[in-house]
Amino acid sequence: MIKIVTDSTADIPKPLLERYDIQVVPINIQFGHETYEEGITIDRPTFFQRLEEVMPTSSQPAPGKLAQMYRKLADEGHSILSLHVTSKHSGTYQSALLAKSMVPEADIEVFDTLSISIGTGYQVLAAARAAEEGKSMEEILQLLEGIRSRMHLYFTPATLKYLQKSGRVGKLAGALASLLSLKPIIKVEDGLLEAFQNVRTRGKALDRLVELTAEAVGTTQPVKLGIPHAQADAEAEALRARLEKTFNCEEMHVVDLACSLTVHGGPGTIGIISYKV
């Protein structure tokens, strides 16, 4: 059987991880000289408490950690499909490729989702569901390439401060947004985060996320939607209700944005991820 491996940025709800027996390798989060494994040695309340004190960084899992997971699955007789956060902003995909080379006896495919959060998560779920249906590795990879090409991701952070400090968007965009008190819209294009537009208020930024999603996937065809957010529960639930009325929604998940992604976006980040079924 094909077993699915991903990393802790995928933001898949725990019941679905358990339902499909998806293996998750943690991203590392550093506060100064202290390193934590996301979801294992640091929880969300502790992360946000520490975030008020010091600016953290994140880093990919060590290849050896992934190789250990691959070896265990291979010893159990499984083929492995390992799907990871966009290689344009993380070294996790490269770590997975190195780990694959460390376990030459195993049947392993590594896939770059060119996505983040539940955008990666939906590709992981599609792979897990297809594997359960008995699809071959080639069929699953073809399916994933199609979903990846149809994925649309739009975010608005509460501030560009964290994106600026992490170098994930240009400093000029952050400076202009701060100067004009504007709210930025960030899009993920071919795996890259780009400062896309600025609007004047938080409310208008949320409206724009809905408008851009409607332009991308339409409002009549079946779609899958995700609302990742970092401590923006009320806004996320309001968005959920709005999207349910606006779109032909086949599946939707409101998820807590991974701490390792919140490092870059900061508290208050919220987004809409979508693709046509």
Side-chain angles (χ1 to χ4, degrees):
M1 185 174 175
I2 299 170
K3 283 290 184 181
I4 307 302
V5 175
T6 190
D7 57 72
S8 58
T9 69
D11 290 342
I12 299 168
K14 189 175 180 182
L16 290 173
L17 289 175
E18 293 172 351
R19 162 68 181 81
Y20 295 105
D21 194 28
I22 296 164
Q23 307 300 303
V24 180
V25 66
I27 300 293
N28 299 313
I29 298 172
Q30 289 89 21
F31 286 96
H33 296 296
E34 297 174 281
T35 300
Y36 301 91
E37 292 185 325
E38 180 167 33
I40 296 177
T41 57
I42 188 168
D43 59 17
R44 296 186 68 80
T46 306
F47 170 81
F48 283 107
Q49 183 182 340
R50 295 293 308 273
L51 189 61
E52 294 176 6
E53 302 161 3
V54 60
M55 183 76 178
T57 57
S58 64
S59 64
Q60 68 266 26
K65 192 168 190 71
L66 276 157
Q68 184 180 13
M69 184 178 286
Y70 294 163
R71 197 169 286 113
K72 177 180 178 294
L73 292 171
D75 287 347
E76 292 170 359
H78 301 297
S79 296
I80 298 155
L81 177 52
S82 199
L83 302 91
H84 297 286
V85 61
T86 174
S87 63
K88 304 290 179 70
H89 289 289
S90 170
T92 305
Y93 173 73
Q94 291 300 324
S95 277
L97 289 176
L98 278 170
K100 174 182 175 177
S101 71
M102 294 163 70
V103 195
E105 70 277 13
D107 176 26
I108 304 170
E109 290 288 344
V110 180
F111 188 79
D112 184 355
T113 67
L114 294 177
S115 197
I116 61 173
S117 184
I118 192 69
T120 294
Y122 266 130
Q123 293 179 61
V124 172
L125 286 171
R129 288 162 176 163
E132 189 176 81
E133 291 167 6
K135 296 283 199 301
S136 69
M137 187 73 81
E138 292 74 20
E139 288 172 320
I140 296 173
L141 289 170
Q142 189 174 9
L143 171 72
L144 291 173
E145 286 168 4
I147 293 172
R148 182 174 65 183
S149 70
R150 300 195 302 276
M151 192 75 68
H152 300 275
L153 303 92
Y154 299 102
F155 289 85
T156 185
T159 169
L160 268 176
K161 176 177 76 172
Y162 294 90
L163 283 164
Q164 269 186 279
K165 286 185 177 180
S166 69
R168 289 308 194 270
V169 295
K171 293 181 185 291
L172 180 60
L176 287 174
S178 300
L179 180 67
L180 300 171
S181 299
L182 296 176
K183 301 300 177 187
I185 304 291
I186 307 295
K187 71 173 177 178
V188 180
E189 186 79 37
D190 193 31
L192 281 169
L193 275 72
E194 298 178 3
F196 179 51
Q197 294 177 351
N198 290 317
V199 293
R200 295 206 169 274
T201 66
R202 175 74 165 186
K204 287 187 174 162
L206 296 175
D207 288 344
R208 191 68 183 126
L209 294 182
V210 178
E211 290 167 4
L212 287 166
T213 301
E215 289 169 14
V217 298
T219 57
T220 57
Q221 287 186 269
V223 293
K224 298 201 179 193
L225 297 163
I227 304 172
H229 70 94
Q231 293 190 312
D233 299 80
E235 289 172 318
E237 284 305 318
L239 260 185
R240 180 212 288 269
R242 186 171 175 184
L243 297 185
E244 284 174 344
K245 291 177 183 175
T246 305
F247 295 90
N248 181 3
C249 184
E250 183 176 286
E251 184 176 2
M252 175 158 50
H253 301 287
V254 176
V255 296
D256 290 317
L257 187 68
C259 295
S260 54
L261 296 174
T262 303
V263 163
H264 309 295
T269 299
I270 190 167
I272 301 176
I273 293 173
S274 63
Y275 75 95
K276 286 182 188 176
V277 181

